[in-house]
Amino acid sequence: MARMTMIEAIRSAMDVSMARDDTVVVFGEDVGYFGGVFRCTQGLQQKYGKTRCFDAPISESGIVGAAIGMAAYGLRPCVEVQFADYVYPAYDQIVSEAARLRYRSNGEFTCPIVVRMPTGGGIFGGQTHSQSPEALFTHVSGLKVVVPSNPYDAKGLLIASIEDPDPVIFLEPKRLYNGPFDGHHERPVTPWSKHPLGEVPDGHFVVPLGKASVRREGSDLTILAYGTMVYVAEAAAEETGIDAEIIDLRTLLPLDLDTIVASVKKTGRCVIVHEATLTSGFGAELAALVQQYCFYNLEGPIARVTGWDTPYPHAQEWEYFPGPARLGQAMRETMEA
Amino acid sequence: MTEHGPLSLHVPEPEVRPGGTPDFSNVPIPKAGSVPRPEVDVDPKEIRDLAYSIIRVLNREGEAVGPWAGTLTDEELLQGLRDMMTLRTFDARMLMAQRQGKTSFYMQHMGEEAVSCAFRKALAPGDMNFPTYRQAGLLIAGGYPMVDMMNQIFSNERDPLKGRQLPVMYSSKEHGFFSISGNLTTQYIQAVGWAMASAIRNDTRIAAGWVGDGATAESDFHAALVFASTYTAPVVLNIVNNQWAISTFQGIARGGSGTFAARGLGFGIPALRVDGNDYLAVHAVAKWAVERARRNLGPTLIEYVTYRVGAHSTSDDPSAYRPKEESSAWPLGDPVLRLKNHLIKRGAWSEERHKQAEAEILDAVIAAQKEAESHGTLHAGGKPSVRDMFEGVYAEMPPHLRRQRQEAGV
């Protein structure tokens, strides 16, 4: 075991995977010699050579398109898009190609790729360094969508994603790279070294895809969260004194519906929280499922606390970001409903 | 106001529209045999003019001339003629089948048969094509069973793709034919990635990417050229310039601003332009580019100058946007006729044998069609199971799909 930040855990996952399987290749913008703008691939080129870890031209569709071709050949590319905000030029390759290759070729060609991308706000990233585009991927059949919230899960989920036979969109909340963040921007950030989930095995292990984790057991209401919002939920539970059960979804597609349904059936109330914008966001799918499977157990309407339906602003960072105050307010209203 | 007049937007137009007289006098056609054949390890800077000429082997008299001649034996040429005739007959039958409602859709290759048929013969087993929807010659010339192609077109119970794909979107890993996508040019950069993978693994296999003139305007064309050049990937990048992208003439993709081949030069990729209706020239150029890739010398861009004689698809009527007689005015003629005449000139073929071959091929295609139809057509007979609709989205079916499959009653 070792103390790792999320960055180190992600790097370790690629290191372990590259050492175990020589078909694993890693590339993207600034990923090679420099080791990535967030240091996630630092040292990999030096360790595995330029043909296993290399810099790519600034072309997201090129990076993902080339990875799909490599996967069709038989490699397992784990590629990086520098910010999730810049994945859109690759959207055609991801949606029309990676997601459908197995289906349309009846399994003749498959696409075991991972597309890693830093996601989320809370860092004064403005409009193009803060977005949470997960709903654009959860709407696509054939993809898997993963969002870790801590170093342990980040490593285990990334190794599982690299080993998965299907394409995985791996969204890394960059706000969590160096330490957990509960939305209290006025307080100093604690590093991962002070958090139990900063304890990560050095070698190979996996956290299975499609399995949520109950981060806090509770009986009053269920909070469905992922990424940075897991810590916002923990803070809101403590501050409101509401005995909330907090579920870290970890994988959005395929979704661990059983864990969600069991929890809401127990608590009878549900609050969904995500950074992404409200309308047609992933919370809408969660709300629809909870309504469908827990209708007779619900004691109040399902609440959604999310980013506003605006582009992500710069100066208004903390009025936009769904912090513990907003979530706490929704929890109180849900309890009173 | 200012000393300048108002700005105006330029929108290119083809020289001739329906009702007009076709005119290709502005298309310069170099003499057969006039373009030199460089060594494959030539410095790309020294052959920049090959991107502006047209490599041709067969002259007006049907003779093979010049430095690109001589890559094929009589026997290979006869097989090439047979492949092209088969593709043409296949097209004609499937076009008819679509009109009869046996399938919803078809796209023919009329006039472009030489490009894919001859290119296929320059590849080795294990190489991978990333084709568009207009390179079925790669399958025909590669010996893929016509019955399986038809099963796919009819979406019947033997459809290798289980009825999931639109007709003509074939896939055959075994035959070096990557799964076709409806999304244009996506496969171009994938071909480069596949070639990079082969290089990463120190393999000896190469890839071939395919795109039409219109689809070169897609951004993935640019991505493919950048990646191919940056990593000197062992890939042959083919552009089939058939002058038309559905109703838009190649000028809308900015053909005429130099050539499509010349776009490779800015990326440092050697680029050749070839007579796409000359089976011998296509093969010779393909062989050159394949050898370059195989010897780790990097990518080559090839523009095949040809003409889309048929409609874009069975859903298209070209008489609405171009003169009906335009294809017969096309100065590079018909690829089947030109190879036929050449073989007759060589003494390897005759009108009589040609007629006989036409009849044999028609019989073979009809026999294949009969067999395919015995397994069903789109609206009649056997079809893939509804269960197949839910399979293969993922390697393992996730719970939400299982629930939906149960909901659908399968």
Side-chain angles (χ1 to χ4, degrees):
Chain A
M1 295 291 263
R3 288 272 160 199
M4 293 188 196
T5 65
M6 198 191 265
I7 290 168
E8 289 160 345
I10 286 163
R11 186 192 305 148
S12 175
M14 285 184 272
D15 189 355
V16 165
S17 299
M18 291 172 89
R20 279 169 64 94
D21 180 354
D22 63 5
T23 66
V24 175
V25 293
V26 168
F27 63 100
E29 293 154 23
D30 304 300
V31 158
Y33 181 83
F34 180 58
V37 295
F38 290 106
R39 321 311 298 152
C40 288
T41 54
Q42 193 172 29
L44 295 180
Q45 182 175 85
Q46 289 72 12
K47 187 167 175 184
Y48 296 98
K50 283 203 298 181
T51 62
R52 297 283 306 283
C53 176
F54 52 91
D55 290 314
I58 304 175
S59 169
E60 289 77 13
S61 73
I63 290 167
V64 177
I68 293 167
M70 290 179 188
Y73 175 93
L75 300 190
R76 285 183 178 268
C78 176
V79 301
E80 179 180 303
V81 170
Q82 204 159 79
F83 288 87
D85 315 64
Y86 302 133
V87 71
Y88 310 121
Y91 199 59
D92 189 28
Q93 286 288 348
I94 292 171
V95 174
S96 311
E97 303 292 322
R100 301 208 202 128
L101 189 52
R102 177 188 296 279
Y103 190 71
R104 75 170 197 237
S105 70
N106 191 26
E108 271 198 330
F109 297 96
T110 60
C111 193
I113 67 170
V114 178
V115 185
R116 291 180 41 238
M117 58 191 95
T119 188
I123 56 150
F124 284 96
Q127 294 187 23
T128 56
H129 300 79
S130 306
Q131 295 167 35
S132 299
E134 60 271 15
L136 296 177
F137 299 107
T138 55
H139 191 55
V140 180
S141 38
L143 296 181
K144 294 184 177 176
V145 180
V146 176
V147 191
S149 69
N150 59 72
Y152 182 92
D153 283 357
K155 179 170 175 181
L157 287 168
L158 183 52
I159 293 174
S161 298
I162 291 169
E163 292 174 356
D164 196 272
D166 292 308
V168 179
I169 303 299
F170 196 85
L171 294 150
E172 301 167 1
K174 56 188 163 304
R175 178 70 239 206
L176 301 180
Y177 268 158
N178 291 305
F181 179 69
D182 61 9
H184 281 293
H185 53 95
E186 70 286 1
R187 299 178 193 162
V189 176
T190 53
W192 281 117
S193 58
K194 300 224 167 92
H195 194 283
L197 289 168
E199 190 79 16
V200 183
D202 288 309
H204 178 271
F205 74 99
V206 297
V207 173
L209 305 188
K211 294 275 176 249
S213 138
V214 178
R215 288 291 296 269
R216 181 190 190 281
E217 290 195 10
S219 55
D220 289 347
L221 59 71
T222 298
I223 301 179
L224 302 181
Y226 50 92
T228 310
M229 290 302 120
V230 170
Y231 304 96
V232 172
E234 285 175 350
E238 198 178 316
E239 288 161 24
T240 57
I242 294 171
D243 186 23
E245 179 142 301
I246 299 170
I247 298 178
D248 178 357
L249 299 174
R250 298 200 290 203
T251 303
L252 307 189
L253 184 68
L255 185 69
D256 185 354
L257 187 61
D258 293 345
T259 299
I260 296 170
V261 170
S263 176
V264 178
K265 281 192 170 166
K266 180 176 77 174
T267 63
R269 297 176 199 273
C270 180
V271 179
I272 295 158
V273 57
H274 59 59
E275 284 182 68
T277 50
L278 176 71
T279 302
S280 301
F282 190 63
E285 178 65 24
L286 291 171
L289 287 167
V290 169
Q291 183 276 143
Q292 182 184 351
Y293 289 95
C294 308
F295 185 79
Y296 296 104
N297 305 90
L298 283 173
E299 291 167 37
I302 301 160
R304 283 183 287 162
V305 180
T306 70
W308 308 115
D309 281 340
T310 70
Y312 206 113
H314 185 246
Q316 301 91 337
E317 176 81 78
W318 305 118
E319 288 74 32
Y320 181 93
F321 184 91
R326 263 177 68 202
L327 178 56
Q329 178 64 19
M331 289 163 68
R332 279 190 286 269
E333 284 168 14
T334 300
M335 289 310 294
E336 286 156 19
Chain B
M1 285 271 292
T2 70
E3 60 192 289
H4 309 289
L7 297 168
S8 64
L9 182 72
H10 172 66
V11 180
E13 271 292 323
E15 308 244 329
V16 195
R17 286 296 192 185
T21 308
D23 178 16
F24 287 108
S25 57
N26 62 339
V27 181
I29 307 290
K31 273 179 63 161
S34 66
V35 178
R37 184 186 185 284
E39 294 300 317
V40 292
D41 58 356
V42 67
D43 181 346
K45 286 198 273 295
E46 287 171 26
I47 56 164
R48 293 173 70 90
D49 46 344
L50 292 194
Y52 294 96
S53 190
I54 300 180
I55 295 164
R56 306 178 64 230
V57 171
L58 293 176
N59 66 14
R60 279 179 185 286
E61 287 70 45
E63 297 153 341
V65 295
W68 294 88
T71 60
L72 292 160
T73 64
D74 280 5
E75 214 164 82
E76 289 166 331
L77 286 170
L78 286 168
Q79 184 58 47
L81 181 65
R82 190 167 275 272
D83 291 339
M84 290 199 289
M85 291 167 72
T86 303
L87 178 56
R88 188 166 289 187
T89 308
F90 184 93
D91 273 350
R93 294 294 303 186
M94 291 301 101
L95 193 64
M96 208 190 314
Q98 190 275 337
R99 298 303 187 217
Q100 293 165 340
K102 290 172 181 170
T103 180
S104 64
F105 183 74
Y106 190 71
M107 304 180 95
Q108 46 173 344
H109 304 76
M110 180 78 90
E112 300 175 38
E113 292 90 345
V115 176
S116 52
C117 288
F119 187 88
R120 178 63 183 80
K121 296 297 190 187
L123 294 176
D127 293 342
M128 185 63 70
N129 282 288
F130 287 73
T132 77
Y133 47 66
R134 223 185 294 280
Q135 275 88 45
L138 296 171
L139 288 174
I140 298 263
Y144 185 79
M146 277 191 287
V147 179
D148 287 337
M149 294 170 75
M150 291 170 174
N151 287 336
Q152 197 279 328
I153 290 165
F154 293 143
S155 293
N156 64 21
E157 66 192 10
R158 293 281 176 91
D159 176 358
L161 306 182
K162 305 283 184 192
R164 294 174 189 155
Q165 268 280 44
L166 197 66
V168 314
M169 306 282 181
Y170 316 103
S171 175
S172 176
K173 191 173 195 172
E174 193 195 336
H175 282 77
F177 192 95
F178 184 73
S179 156
I180 296 178
S181 166
N183 297 71
L184 298 182
T185 326
T186 49
Q187 78 289 346
Y188 220 49
I189 175 68
Q190 292 164 7
V192 176
W194 195 98
M196 288 169 69
S198 184
I200 287 169
R201 300 297 286 172
N202 306 125
D203 199 346
T204 57
R205 298 186 282 163
I206 65 131
W210 294 86
V211 74
D213 48 285
T216 60
E218 292 279 7
S219 55
D220 279 339
F221 176 76
H222 184 273
L225 265 56
V226 176
F227 276 68
S229 180
T230 297
Y231 303 108
T232 57
V235 62
V236 182
L237 295 166
N238 299 300
I239 304 170
V240 184
N241 176 7
N242 68 13
Q243 315 301 320
W244 289 95
I246 310 187
S247 75
T248 52
F249 87 118
Q250 44 93 20
I252 293 291
R254 207 54 189 112
S257 57
T259 64
F260 289 103
R263 285 167 204 187
L265 301 182
F267 294 88
I269 298 175
L272 295 85
R273 221 161 161 252
V274 58
D275 178 346
N277 292 12
D278 180 340
Y279 186 94
L280 287 78
V282 170
H283 181 267
V285 166
K287 193 169 171 237
W288 189 89
V290 167
E291 196 189 330
R292 256 183 64 77
R294 193 98 60 206
R295 285 171 57 172
N296 209 31
L297 296 165
T300 305
L301 188 70
I302 306 174
E303 176 187 349
Y304 303 89
V305 183
T306 182
Y307 186 87
R308 195 196 79 210
V309 175
H312 165 69
S313 72
T314 48
S315 309
D316 174 50
D317 172 18
S319 70
Y321 51 80
R322 69 184 192 190
K324 278 193 171 128
E325 323 74 40
E326 196 175 83
S327 62
S328 37
W330 176 244
L332 295 175
D334 175 88
V336 176
L337 271 182
R338 284 175 65 192
L339 181 54
K340 172 192 163 193
N341 292 339
H342 172 60
L343 282 164
I344 290 173
K345 193 96 181 179
R346 273 168 96 122
W349 200 235
S350 66
E351 288 290 351
E352 206 171 56
R353 288 172 70 185
H354 194 79
K355 274 206 177 66
Q356 194 186 333
E358 271 178 339
E360 284 167 13
I361 288 167
L362 183 61
D363 284 349
V365 174
I366 289 175
Q369 188 177 354
K370 260 194 179 151
E371 189 186 334
E373 287 187 15
S374 77
H375 304 301
T377 58
L378 181 61
H379 299 296
K383 59 183 250 183
S385 80
V386 181
R387 218 181 151 87
D388 280 325
M389 179 168 73
F390 292 95
E391 302 281 349
V393 182
Y394 299 91
E396 274 181 57
M397 189 175 291
H400 68 286
L401 265 180
R402 199 169 297 281
R403 284 196 300 274
Q404 290 172 32
R405 194 189 70 193
Q406 285 159 359
E407 201 182 320
V410 291

